[in-house]
Amino acid sequence: MNAAPQAEPPHGRVGDRLERAIEQRADVPGELTRGERALESEPAKRGSLRRTIFWLAISAVSLYLVAPSVIAAFGSWHQIERLSPAWLVAMAALQGAALFCLWVLQLLSLHDGRWQPVIASQLAGNALAKIAPGGGAMGTALQYRMLVEAGLKRGPVVAGLTAANLLAFGVVLALPVFAIPAILRGGVQRDLLNAAVAGLIVFVVLFVAGVVLLSSDRPLLWLGTQIQRVRNRLRRRAEPLSRLPQRLVGERDRIVGTLGPRWKRALAAALGRWGFDFGCLLAALRALDAVPRVGLVLLAFCAAQVLAQIPLTPGGLGFVEAGLTATLTLAGVPAGTAVVATFAYRLFAYWLQMPLGLVGLALQRAPAASARRAGADPPAG
Protein backbone atom coordinates (compact mmCIF):
# COMPACT_ATOMS: atom_id res chain seq x y z
CA MET A 1 0.00 0.00 0.00
CA ASN A 2 1.54 3.27 -1.08
CA ALA A 3 1.86 6.13 1.33
CA ALA A 4 -0.45 9.06 0.90
CA PRO A 5 -0.36 12.58 2.27
CA GLN A 6 -1.81 13.20 5.70
CA ALA A 7 -5.43 14.28 5.54
CA GLU A 8 -5.87 17.98 6.16
CA PRO A 9 -8.19 19.00 8.96
CA PRO A 10 -11.59 20.07 7.74
CA HIS A 11 -11.84 23.81 7.33
CA GLY A 12 -13.37 26.40 5.06
CA ARG A 13 -16.87 26.50 3.67
CA VAL A 14 -19.30 23.60 3.73
CA GLY A 15 -18.85 23.12 -0.01
CA ASP A 16 -15.09 22.73 0.45
CA ARG A 17 -15.62 20.20 3.22
CA LEU A 18 -18.10 18.24 1.16
CA GLU A 19 -15.84 18.14 -1.89
CA ARG A 20 -12.90 17.10 0.28
CA ALA A 21 -15.01 14.33 1.84
CA ILE A 22 -16.01 13.05 -1.61
CA GLU A 23 -12.38 13.21 -2.76
CA GLN A 24 -11.23 11.21 0.25
CA ARG A 25 -14.04 8.69 -0.20
CA ALA A 26 -12.80 8.03 -3.74
CA ASP A 27 -9.16 7.81 -2.60
CA VAL A 28 -9.33 4.48 -0.77
CA PRO A 29 -5.54 3.88 -0.78
CA GLY A 30 -5.03 7.27 0.85
CA GLU A 31 -7.86 6.62 3.29
CA LEU A 32 -6.29 3.29 4.21
CA THR A 33 -2.99 5.01 4.93
CA ARG A 34 -4.67 7.61 7.14
CA GLY A 35 -6.64 4.93 8.94
CA GLU A 36 -3.60 2.72 9.47
CA ARG A 37 -1.76 5.64 11.01
CA ALA A 38 -4.68 6.32 13.33
CA LEU A 39 -5.00 2.66 14.34
CA GLU A 40 -1.27 2.28 15.00
CA SER A 41 -0.57 5.68 16.57
CA GLU A 42 0.75 5.75 20.12
CA PRO A 43 -0.99 8.23 22.43
CA ALA A 44 2.36 9.28 23.83
CA LYS A 45 3.44 10.72 20.51
CA ARG A 46 2.95 14.45 20.37
CA GLY A 47 1.54 14.54 16.83
CA SER A 48 -0.86 11.69 17.55
CA LEU A 49 -2.09 13.37 20.73
CA ARG A 50 -2.65 16.63 18.86
CA ARG A 51 -4.66 14.88 16.14
CA THR A 52 -6.75 13.06 18.72
CA ILE A 53 -7.48 16.27 20.62
CA PHE A 54 -8.27 18.06 17.37
CA TRP A 55 -10.80 15.45 16.20
CA LEU A 56 -12.39 15.26 19.65
CA ALA A 57 -12.72 19.06 19.68
CA ILE A 58 -14.23 19.10 16.17
CA SER A 59 -16.70 16.39 17.16
CA ALA A 60 -17.61 18.14 20.41
CA VAL A 61 -18.24 21.51 18.72
CA SER A 62 -20.19 19.87 15.90
CA LEU A 63 -22.34 17.88 18.31
CA TYR A 64 -23.02 21.04 20.30
CA LEU A 65 -24.23 22.81 17.15
CA VAL A 66 -26.57 19.97 16.19
CA ALA A 67 -27.53 19.05 19.77
CA PRO A 68 -31.16 20.21 19.36
CA SER A 69 -31.68 17.73 16.52
CA VAL A 70 -30.05 14.89 18.43
CA ILE A 71 -32.06 15.68 21.56
CA ALA A 72 -35.29 15.88 19.56
CA ALA A 73 -34.58 12.53 17.90
CA PHE A 74 -33.74 10.80 21.17
CA GLY A 75 -36.65 12.52 22.88
CA SER A 76 -38.97 10.74 20.50
CA TRP A 77 -37.79 7.25 21.46
CA HIS A 78 -40.94 6.54 23.49
CA GLN A 79 -43.02 7.24 20.37
CA ILE A 80 -41.46 4.22 18.68
CA GLU A 81 -44.52 2.37 20.00
CA ARG A 82 -46.43 4.12 17.20
CA LEU A 83 -44.74 1.61 14.89
CA SER A 84 -46.27 -1.84 15.15
CA PRO A 85 -43.95 -4.83 15.71
CA ALA A 86 -44.63 -5.95 12.13
CA TRP A 87 -43.27 -2.68 10.76
CA LEU A 88 -40.21 -2.88 13.01
CA VAL A 89 -39.52 -6.40 11.74
CA ALA A 90 -39.94 -5.18 8.16
CA MET A 91 -37.44 -2.35 8.75
CA ALA A 92 -34.95 -4.79 10.27
CA ALA A 93 -35.37 -7.11 7.28
CA LEU A 94 -34.83 -4.24 4.83
CA GLN A 95 -31.64 -3.19 6.61
CA GLY A 96 -30.51 -6.82 6.61
CA ALA A 97 -31.10 -6.95 2.85
CA ALA A 98 -29.10 -3.73 2.42
CA LEU A 99 -26.17 -5.25 4.33
CA PHE A 100 -26.41 -8.43 2.27
CA CYS A 101 -26.20 -6.43 -0.97
CA LEU A 102 -23.12 -4.62 0.36
CA TRP A 103 -21.51 -7.97 1.19
CA VAL A 104 -22.28 -9.22 -2.33
CA LEU A 105 -20.73 -6.07 -3.80
CA GLN A 106 -17.54 -6.48 -1.78
CA LEU A 107 -17.40 -10.23 -2.47
CA LEU A 108 -17.58 -9.56 -6.21
CA SER A 109 -14.93 -6.84 -5.93
CA LEU A 110 -12.46 -8.92 -3.93
CA HIS A 111 -12.62 -12.06 -6.15
CA ASP A 112 -12.08 -14.30 -3.13
CA GLY A 113 -15.34 -16.26 -2.86
CA ARG A 114 -15.36 -16.55 0.94
CA TRP A 115 -18.25 -14.92 2.75
CA GLN A 116 -16.88 -15.01 6.29
CA PRO A 117 -13.95 -12.55 5.89
CA VAL A 118 -16.14 -10.10 3.97
CA ILE A 119 -18.99 -10.16 6.49
CA ALA A 120 -16.73 -10.08 9.55
CA SER A 121 -14.52 -7.23 8.29
CA GLN A 122 -17.44 -5.13 7.01
CA LEU A 123 -19.37 -5.38 10.28
CA ALA A 124 -16.32 -4.51 12.40
CA GLY A 125 -15.10 -1.70 10.13
CA ASN A 126 -18.57 -0.21 9.82
CA ALA A 127 -19.03 -0.19 13.60
CA LEU A 128 -15.67 1.54 14.16
CA ALA A 129 -16.49 4.15 11.51
CA LYS A 130 -19.69 4.99 13.38
CA ILE A 131 -18.07 5.58 16.78
CA ALA A 132 -14.59 7.01 16.12
CA PRO A 133 -14.14 10.76 15.46
CA GLY A 134 -13.35 11.08 11.75
CA GLY A 135 -13.68 7.30 11.79
CA GLY A 136 -14.37 6.59 8.12
CA ALA A 137 -10.67 6.08 7.39
CA MET A 138 -10.20 4.01 10.54
CA GLY A 139 -13.15 1.79 9.63
CA THR A 140 -11.77 1.20 6.14
CA ALA A 141 -8.31 0.46 7.56
CA LEU A 142 -9.74 -2.02 10.07
CA GLN A 143 -11.60 -3.85 7.31
CA TYR A 144 -8.45 -3.92 5.18
CA ARG A 145 -6.41 -5.31 8.07
CA MET A 146 -8.97 -8.01 8.86
CA LEU A 147 -9.18 -9.10 5.22
CA VAL A 148 -5.38 -9.38 5.00
CA GLU A 149 -5.30 -11.34 8.27
CA ALA A 150 -7.88 -13.69 6.76
CA GLY A 151 -5.44 -14.53 3.97
CA LEU A 152 -6.38 -12.15 1.16
CA LYS A 153 -3.55 -10.46 -0.72
CA ARG A 154 -2.95 -6.78 -0.05
CA GLY A 155 -3.08 -5.51 -3.64
CA PRO A 156 -6.41 -7.13 -4.57
CA VAL A 157 -7.92 -6.00 -1.25
CA VAL A 158 -7.03 -2.35 -1.93
CA ALA A 159 -8.31 -2.59 -5.52
CA GLY A 160 -11.48 -4.39 -4.47
CA LEU A 161 -12.38 -2.01 -1.65
CA THR A 162 -11.69 0.93 -3.96
CA ALA A 163 -13.99 -0.41 -6.68
CA ALA A 164 -16.77 -1.23 -4.20
CA ASN A 165 -16.50 2.20 -2.54
CA LEU A 166 -16.53 4.07 -5.84
CA LEU A 167 -19.51 2.16 -7.20
CA ALA A 168 -21.60 2.42 -4.03
CA PHE A 169 -20.88 6.11 -3.53
CA GLY A 170 -21.42 6.86 -7.22
CA VAL A 171 -24.94 5.45 -6.93
CA VAL A 172 -25.72 7.82 -4.03
CA LEU A 173 -24.46 10.82 -5.99
CA ALA A 174 -26.52 9.81 -9.03
CA LEU A 175 -29.79 9.17 -7.18
CA PRO A 176 -30.90 12.84 -6.90
CA VAL A 177 -30.71 13.24 -10.69
CA PHE A 178 -33.11 10.35 -11.19
CA ALA A 179 -35.42 11.61 -8.44
CA ILE A 180 -36.12 14.78 -10.44
CA PRO A 181 -38.64 13.18 -12.85
CA ALA A 182 -40.62 11.86 -9.88
CA ILE A 183 -40.66 15.33 -8.36
CA LEU A 184 -41.76 16.99 -11.60
CA ARG A 185 -44.53 14.43 -12.05
CA GLY A 186 -45.84 15.44 -8.65
CA GLY A 187 -48.48 13.64 -6.67
CA VAL A 188 -48.49 11.87 -3.34
CA GLN A 189 -48.21 8.10 -3.01
CA ARG A 190 -51.18 7.00 -0.91
CA ASP A 191 -49.81 3.61 0.12
CA LEU A 192 -46.51 1.84 0.52
CA LEU A 193 -47.04 -0.31 -2.59
CA ASN A 194 -47.31 2.70 -4.88
CA ALA A 195 -44.35 4.34 -3.18
CA ALA A 196 -42.29 1.17 -3.50
CA VAL A 197 -43.21 0.83 -7.20
CA ALA A 198 -42.22 4.46 -7.83
CA GLY A 199 -38.92 3.89 -6.04
CA LEU A 200 -38.35 0.64 -7.93
CA ILE A 201 -38.83 2.43 -11.25
CA VAL A 202 -36.18 4.97 -10.25
CA PHE A 203 -33.70 2.21 -9.40
CA VAL A 204 -34.42 0.27 -12.61
CA VAL A 205 -33.83 3.41 -14.66
CA LEU A 206 -30.65 4.03 -12.69
CA PHE A 207 -29.46 0.48 -13.42
CA VAL A 208 -29.97 1.00 -17.15
CA ALA A 209 -28.18 4.36 -16.99
CA GLY A 210 -25.37 2.76 -14.98
CA VAL A 211 -24.90 0.07 -17.61
CA VAL A 212 -24.64 2.77 -20.29
CA LEU A 213 -22.18 4.89 -18.30
CA LEU A 214 -19.99 1.93 -17.35
CA SER A 215 -19.80 0.60 -20.91
CA SER A 216 -19.46 3.75 -23.04
CA ASP A 217 -17.17 6.78 -22.88
CA ARG A 218 -19.25 9.41 -24.65
CA PRO A 219 -22.24 9.56 -22.21
CA LEU A 220 -19.87 9.60 -19.23
CA LEU A 221 -17.77 12.40 -20.72
CA TRP A 222 -20.94 14.41 -21.45
CA LEU A 223 -22.22 13.87 -17.90
CA GLY A 224 -18.88 14.88 -16.40
CA THR A 225 -18.83 18.03 -18.52
CA GLN A 226 -22.30 19.04 -17.34
CA ILE A 227 -21.50 18.37 -13.68
CA GLN A 228 -18.25 20.31 -13.96
CA ARG A 229 -20.01 23.25 -15.63
CA VAL A 230 -22.75 23.42 -12.99
CA ARG A 231 -20.30 23.06 -10.11
CA ASN A 232 -18.03 25.84 -11.43
CA ARG A 233 -21.01 28.17 -11.87
CA LEU A 234 -22.34 27.48 -8.38
CA ARG A 235 -18.93 27.79 -6.71
CA ARG A 236 -17.35 30.75 -8.51
CA ARG A 237 -15.05 31.59 -5.59
CA ALA A 238 -13.60 28.08 -5.37
CA GLU A 239 -10.83 26.77 -7.58
CA PRO A 240 -12.53 25.65 -10.81
CA LEU A 241 -12.60 22.01 -11.85
CA SER A 242 -11.02 21.32 -15.22
CA ARG A 243 -10.65 17.57 -15.77
CA LEU A 244 -13.68 16.01 -14.12
CA PRO A 245 -14.90 14.18 -17.30
CA GLN A 246 -11.52 12.51 -17.78
CA ARG A 247 -11.36 11.67 -14.08
CA LEU A 248 -14.76 9.99 -14.24
CA VAL A 249 -13.65 7.87 -17.19
CA GLY A 250 -10.49 6.90 -15.32
CA GLU A 251 -12.42 5.89 -12.20
CA ARG A 252 -14.91 3.98 -14.36
CA ASP A 253 -12.06 2.07 -15.99
CA ARG A 254 -10.67 1.26 -12.55
CA ILE A 255 -14.03 -0.14 -11.40
CA VAL A 256 -14.63 -2.22 -14.52
CA GLY A 257 -11.01 -3.38 -14.61
CA THR A 258 -11.25 -4.63 -11.02
CA LEU A 259 -14.67 -6.25 -11.34
CA GLY A 260 -14.18 -7.74 -14.79
CA PRO A 261 -17.26 -9.47 -16.23
CA ARG A 262 -18.97 -9.23 -12.82
CA TRP A 263 -19.55 -5.49 -13.07
CA LYS A 264 -23.28 -5.73 -13.93
CA ARG A 265 -23.93 -7.89 -10.88
CA ALA A 266 -21.88 -5.50 -8.77
CA LEU A 267 -23.90 -2.55 -10.09
CA ALA A 268 -27.14 -4.36 -9.19
CA ALA A 269 -25.75 -5.07 -5.69
CA ALA A 270 -24.77 -1.41 -5.21
CA LEU A 271 -28.26 -0.32 -6.24
CA GLY A 272 -29.80 -2.92 -3.93
CA ARG A 273 -27.65 -1.69 -1.03
CA TRP A 274 -29.19 1.78 -1.25
CA GLY A 275 -32.59 0.64 -2.51
CA PHE A 276 -33.29 -1.51 0.56
CA ASP A 277 -31.91 1.23 2.82
CA PHE A 278 -34.30 3.70 1.19
CA GLY A 279 -37.08 1.15 1.63
CA CYS A 280 -36.37 1.16 5.37
CA LEU A 281 -37.02 4.90 5.48
CA LEU A 282 -40.21 4.50 3.42
CA ALA A 283 -41.39 1.78 5.80
CA ALA A 284 -40.84 4.08 8.79
CA LEU A 285 -42.91 6.79 7.13
CA ARG A 286 -45.69 4.40 6.13
CA ALA A 287 -45.81 2.92 9.63
CA LEU A 288 -46.50 6.45 10.89
CA ASP A 289 -49.22 6.99 8.25
CA ALA A 290 -47.16 9.64 6.46
CA VAL A 291 -47.84 9.94 2.71
CA PRO A 292 -45.17 12.24 1.23
CA ARG A 293 -43.99 12.49 -2.37
CA VAL A 294 -41.49 9.75 -3.05
CA GLY A 295 -39.20 11.94 -5.17
CA LEU A 296 -38.76 14.43 -2.34
CA VAL A 297 -38.21 11.65 0.18
CA LEU A 298 -35.52 10.22 -2.11
CA LEU A 299 -33.82 13.62 -2.17
CA ALA A 300 -34.02 13.75 1.62
CA PHE A 301 -32.49 10.27 1.79
CA CYS A 302 -29.64 11.22 -0.57
CA ALA A 303 -28.94 14.42 1.37
CA ALA A 304 -28.70 12.38 4.58
CA GLN A 305 -26.20 9.95 3.01
CA VAL A 306 -24.03 12.80 1.71
CA LEU A 307 -24.11 14.54 5.10
CA ALA A 308 -22.92 11.31 6.70
CA GLN A 309 -19.73 11.54 4.60
CA ILE A 310 -18.59 14.86 6.13
CA PRO A 311 -16.27 13.73 8.96
CA LEU A 312 -17.29 16.29 11.58
CA THR A 313 -19.06 13.78 13.82
CA PRO A 314 -18.90 9.97 13.86
CA GLY A 315 -21.26 8.64 11.19
CA GLY A 316 -22.68 12.11 10.62
CA LEU A 317 -24.38 11.98 14.03
CA GLY A 318 -26.56 15.04 14.47
CA PHE A 319 -26.06 16.35 10.95
CA VAL A 320 -27.99 13.44 9.44
CA GLU A 321 -30.78 13.78 11.99
CA ALA A 322 -31.04 17.53 11.39
CA GLY A 323 -30.86 17.27 7.60
CA LEU A 324 -33.22 14.31 7.28
CA THR A 325 -35.83 15.79 9.61
CA ALA A 326 -35.75 19.14 7.81
CA THR A 327 -35.95 17.68 4.30
CA LEU A 328 -38.72 15.25 5.27
CA THR A 329 -40.68 18.23 6.60
CA LEU A 330 -40.15 20.01 3.28
CA ALA A 331 -41.39 16.83 1.56
CA GLY A 332 -44.73 17.22 3.33
CA VAL A 333 -44.23 15.12 6.46
CA PRO A 334 -45.54 16.77 9.67
CA ALA A 335 -42.65 17.95 11.84
CA GLY A 336 -43.38 15.61 14.75
CA THR A 337 -43.77 12.63 12.45
CA ALA A 338 -40.53 13.52 10.64
CA VAL A 339 -38.63 13.43 13.95
CA VAL A 340 -40.04 10.01 14.88
CA ALA A 341 -39.45 8.59 11.39
CA THR A 342 -35.86 9.87 11.46
CA PHE A 343 -35.25 8.26 14.85
CA ALA A 344 -36.79 4.94 13.71
CA TYR A 345 -34.73 4.91 10.51
CA ARG A 346 -31.47 5.82 12.27
CA LEU A 347 -32.16 3.19 14.92
CA PHE A 348 -31.75 0.48 12.27
CA ALA A 349 -29.32 2.22 9.92
CA TYR A 350 -26.94 3.56 12.59
CA TRP A 351 -27.39 2.61 16.23
CA LEU A 352 -28.17 -1.11 15.95
CA GLN A 353 -25.28 -1.61 13.52
CA MET A 354 -22.68 -0.62 16.12
CA PRO A 355 -23.03 -3.74 18.30
CA LEU A 356 -22.82 -5.83 15.12
CA GLY A 357 -19.12 -4.91 15.12
CA LEU A 358 -18.67 -7.36 18.00
CA VAL A 359 -20.29 -10.03 15.85
CA GLY A 360 -17.78 -9.24 13.12
CA LEU A 361 -14.84 -9.59 15.51
CA ALA A 362 -16.23 -12.90 16.78
CA LEU A 363 -16.61 -14.19 13.22
CA GLN A 364 -13.01 -13.18 12.46
CA ARG A 365 -11.69 -15.12 15.43
CA ALA A 366 -13.85 -18.20 14.93
CA PRO A 367 -11.62 -19.98 12.33
CA ALA A 368 -8.47 -19.48 14.44
CA ALA A 369 -10.25 -20.73 17.55
CA SER A 370 -11.51 -23.80 15.68
CA ALA A 371 -8.02 -24.48 14.36
CA ARG A 372 -6.55 -24.27 17.87
CA ARG A 373 -9.16 -26.66 19.18
CA ALA A 374 -8.32 -29.07 16.38
CA GLY A 375 -4.60 -28.80 17.14
CA ALA A 376 -3.83 -27.01 13.88
CA ASP A 377 -1.98 -23.77 13.32
CA PRO A 378 -4.19 -20.65 12.90
CA PRO A 379 -4.43 -19.15 9.41
CA ALA A 380 -1.42 -17.09 8.41
CA GLY A 381 -1.90 -13.32 8.45
Side-chain angles (χ1 to χ4, degrees):
M1 183 170 52
N2 295 328
Q6 183 83 14
E8 296 181 5
H11 62 279
R13 292 183 289 273
V14 173
D16 296 327
R17 294 174 180 174
L18 180 57
E19 289 186 8
R20 191 176 301 113
I22 294 174
E23 184 76 20
Q24 291 178 358
R25 184 65 182 265
D27 179 23
V28 173
E31 192 168 62
L32 284 173
T33 300
R34 292 188 292 272
E36 286 277 283
R37 288 175 179 172
L39 288 174
E40 296 174 355
S41 61
E42 299 176 9
K45 291 183 178 180
R46 186 177 180 183
S48 172
L49 183 60
R50 282 182 176 179
R51 287 193 297 273
T52 301
I53 293 175
F54 172 80
W55 278 113
L56 289 175
I58 287 292
S59 297
V61 172
S62 301
L63 284 173
Y64 174 78
L65 294 175
V66 296
S69 299
V70 177
I71 293 172
F74 273 101
S76 66
W77 69 267
H78 60 282
Q79 297 189 48
I80 200 74
E81 63 185 17
R82 292 173 58 185
L83 285 74
S84 68
W87 280 115
L88 294 176
V89 170
M91 292 176 67
L94 288 165
Q95 278 299 324
L99 280 175
F100 176 75
C101 288
L102 180 56
W103 297 335
V104 171
L105 172 60
Q106 294 190 349
L107 191 75
L108 293 171
S109 302
L110 293 168
H111 297 275
D112 182 70
R114 291 180 293 162
W115 286 93
Q116 187 175 26
V118 171
I119 295 173
S121 62
Q122 189 279 324
L123 290 177
N126 182 51
L128 180 60
K130 292 182 184 302
I131 61 176
M138 294 177 66
T140 303
L142 177 60
Q143 181 173 18
Y144 165 81
R145 180 177 294 183
M146 291 176 67
L147 288 169
V148 172
E149 288 176 355
L152 280 74
K153 295 182 179 179
R154 296 175 182 270
V157 169
V158 174
L161 291 179
T162 300
N165 253 24
L166 289 172
L167 193 55
F169 196 51
V171 169
V172 171
L173 295 180
L175 276 175
V177 177
F178 292 90
I180 293 175
I183 296 172
L184 295 178
R185 187 174 64 85
V188 171
Q189 307 299 331
R190 293 295 175 184
D191 56 54
L192 183 62
L193 179 60
N194 288 337
V197 169
L200 180 62
I201 292 173
V202 170
F203 281 92
V204 169
V205 172
L206 187 56
F207 177 78
V208 174
V211 169
V212 172
L213 294 175
L214 289 174
S215 59
S216 178
D217 285 356
R218 183 172 297 179
L220 189 58
L221 288 169
W222 178 86
L223 179 62
T225 300
Q226 302 311 310
I227 294 174
Q228 178 174 281
R229 182 177 301 166
V230 171
R231 181 269 181 194
N232 289 340
R233 285 183 178 178
L234 292 176
R235 307 203 63 220
R236 296 180 184 275
R237 296 183 180 179
E239 182 179 353
L241 294 179
S242 59
R243 294 187 55 81
L244 181 61
Q246 292 76 17
R247 169 103 186 253
L248 290 179
V249 171
E251 300 293 0
R252 189 275 315 276
D253 291 343
R254 185 196 302 191
I255 293 172
V256 176
T258 300
L259 292 168
R262 300 177 168 190
W263 66 266
K264 289 184 181 178
R265 281 179 284 169
L267 174 61
L271 286 165
R273 185 263 178 272
W274 296 116
F276 286 116
D277 195 13
F278 177 58
C280 183
L281 177 59
L282 282 181
L285 292 168
R286 180 61 186 87
L288 296 168
D289 295 321
V291 285
R293 292 165 59 180
V294 173
L296 291 176
V297 175
L298 185 56
L299 282 181
F301 172 79
C302 296
Q305 304 311 318
V306 173
L307 285 171
Q309 307 307 317
I310 303 178
L312 296 181
T313 58
L317 179 62
F319 288 93
V320 173
E321 283 76 7
L324 188 55
T325 301
T327 47
L328 285 177
T329 302
L330 292 175
V333 180
T337 300
V339 171
V340 179
T342 297
F343 173 76
Y345 166 71
R346 289 285 279 175
L347 177 65
F348 290 97
Y350 181 82
W351 295 105
L352 292 181
Q353 293 195 24
M354 285 191 282
L356 290 179
L358 298 176
V359 176
L361 293 175
L363 286 174
Q364 179 80 352
R365 295 170 181 170
S370 299
R372 284 195 299 269
R373 285 194 297 268
D377 293 330

Coordinates of all heavy atoms in Angstrom, one line a residue, residues 35 46 77 126-127 133 149 159 212 214 236 252 273-274 279 292 321 324 378:
G35 N -6.1 5.8 7.9 CA -6.6 4.9 8.9 C -5.6 4.1 9.6 O -5.7 3.9 10.8
R46 N 3.5 13.1 20.3 CA 3.0 14.5 20.4 C 2.0 14.7 19.2 O 0.9 15.2 19.4 CB 4.1 15.5 20.3 CG 3.6 16.9 20.5 CD 4.8 17.8 20.5 NE 4.5 19.2 20.7 CZ 5.3 20.2 20.7 NH1 6.6 20.0 20.6 NH2 4.9 21.4 20.9
W77 N -38.0 8.7 21.4 CA -37.8 7.3 21.5 C -39.0 6.6 22.0 O -39.4 5.5 21.5 CB -36.6 6.9 22.4 CG -36.8 7.2 23.8 CD1 -36.5 8.3 24.5 CD2 -37.4 6.3 24.8 NE1 -36.9 8.3 25.8 CE2 -37.5 7.0 26.0 CE3 -38.0 5.0 24.7 CZ2 -38.0 6.5 27.2 CZ3 -38.5 4.5 25.9 CH2 -38.5 5.2 27.1
N126 N -17.4 -1.1 9.8 CA -18.6 -0.2 9.8 C -18.9 0.3 11.2 O -19.2 1.5 11.4 CB -19.8 -0.9 9.3 CG -21.0 -0.1 9.2 OD1 -21.0 1.0 8.6 ND2 -22.1 -0.5 9.7
A127 N -18.8 -0.6 12.2 CA -19.0 -0.2 13.6 C -18.0 0.8 14.1 O -18.3 1.8 14.7 CB -19.0 -1.4 14.5
P133 N -14.2 9.4 16.1 CA -14.1 10.8 15.5 C -13.4 10.7 14.1 O -12.2 10.3 14.1 CB -13.4 11.6 16.5 CG -13.6 10.9 17.8 CD -13.6 9.5 17.4
E149 N -5.5 -10.3 7.3 CA -5.3 -11.3 8.3 C -6.0 -12.6 7.9 O -5.6 -13.7 8.3 CB -5.8 -10.8 9.6 CG -4.9 -9.8 10.2 CD -5.4 -9.2 11.6 OE1 -6.6 -9.6 11.9 OE2 -4.7 -8.4 12.2
A159 N -7.6 -2.8 -4.3 CA -8.3 -2.6 -5.5 C -9.8 -2.9 -5.3 O -10.7 -2.2 -5.8 CB -7.7 -3.4 -6.6
V212 N -25.1 1.9 -19.2 CA -24.6 2.8 -20.3 C -23.4 3.5 -19.9 O -22.4 3.5 -20.7 CB -25.7 3.8 -20.7 CG1 -25.2 4.8 -21.7 CG2 -26.9 3.0 -21.3
L214 N -21.1 2.8 -17.6 CA -20.0 1.9 -17.4 C -19.5 1.2 -18.6 O -18.4 0.6 -18.6 CB -20.4 0.9 -16.3 CG -20.5 1.4 -14.9 CD1 -21.0 0.3 -14.0 CD2 -19.2 2.0 -14.3
R236 N -18.2 29.9 -7.7 CA -17.4 30.7 -8.5 C -16.1 31.1 -7.7 O -15.1 31.4 -8.3 CB -18.1 32.0 -8.9 CG -19.3 31.7 -9.9 CD -20.0 33.0 -10.3 NE -21.2 32.7 -11.1 CZ -21.1 32.6 -12.4 NH1 -20.0 32.7 -13.0 NH2 -22.2 32.4 -13.1
R252 N -14.1 5.0 -13.8 CA -14.9 4.0 -14.4 C -14.1 2.8 -14.8 O -14.4 1.6 -14.6 CB -15.7 4.6 -15.5 CG -16.8 3.7 -16.1 CD -16.3 2.7 -17.2 NE -15.4 3.3 -18.1 CZ -15.8 4.0 -19.2 NH1 -17.0 4.1 -19.5 NH2 -14.9 4.5 -20.0
R273 N -28.1 -2.2 -2.4 CA -27.6 -1.7 -1.0 C -28.4 -0.4 -0.6 O -28.8 -0.3 0.5 CB -26.1 -1.5 -1.1 CG -25.5 -1.1 0.3 CD -25.4 0.4 0.4 NE -24.8 0.8 1.7 CZ -25.5 1.0 2.7 NH1 -26.8 0.9 2.8 NH2 -24.9 1.4 3.9
W274 N -28.5 0.5 -1.6 CA -29.2 1.8 -1.3 C -30.7 1.7 -1.4 O -31.4 2.3 -0.7 CB -28.6 2.9 -2.1 CG -27.2 3.2 -1.9 CD1 -26.2 3.0 -2.7 CD2 -26.6 3.7 -0.6 NE1 -25.0 3.4 -2.1 CE2 -25.2 3.8 -0.8 CE3 -27.2 4.0 0.6 CZ2 -24.4 4.2 0.2 CZ3 -26.3 4.4 1.6 CH2 -24.9 4.5 1.4
G279 N -35.8 1.8 1.3 CA -37.1 1.1 1.6 C -37.3 1.2 3.1 O -38.5 1.2 3.6
P292 N -45.9 11.2 2.0 CA -45.2 12.2 1.2 C -44.9 11.8 -0.2 O -45.2 10.7 -0.6 CB -43.9 12.4 2.0 CG -43.6 11.0 2.5 CD -44.9 10.4 2.8
E321 N -29.5 13.6 11.4 CA -30.8 13.8 12.0 C -31.4 15.1 11.6 O -32.6 15.2 11.3 CB -30.6 13.7 13.5 CG -30.5 12.2 14.1 CD -29.1 11.7 13.8 OE1 -28.2 12.4 13.4 OE2 -28.9 10.5 14.1
L324 N -32.1 15.2 7.7 CA -33.2 14.3 7.3 C -34.6 14.8 7.8 O -35.6 14.8 7.1 CB -32.9 12.9 7.8 CG -33.9 11.8 7.3 CD1 -34.0 11.8 5.8 CD2 -33.5 10.4 7.8
P378 N -3.2 -21.6 13.4 CA -4.2 -20.7 12.9 C -3.8 -20.2 11.5 O -2.6 -20.3 11.2 CB -4.1 -19.5 13.9 CG -2.8 -19.7 14.6 CD -2.5 -21.1 14.6

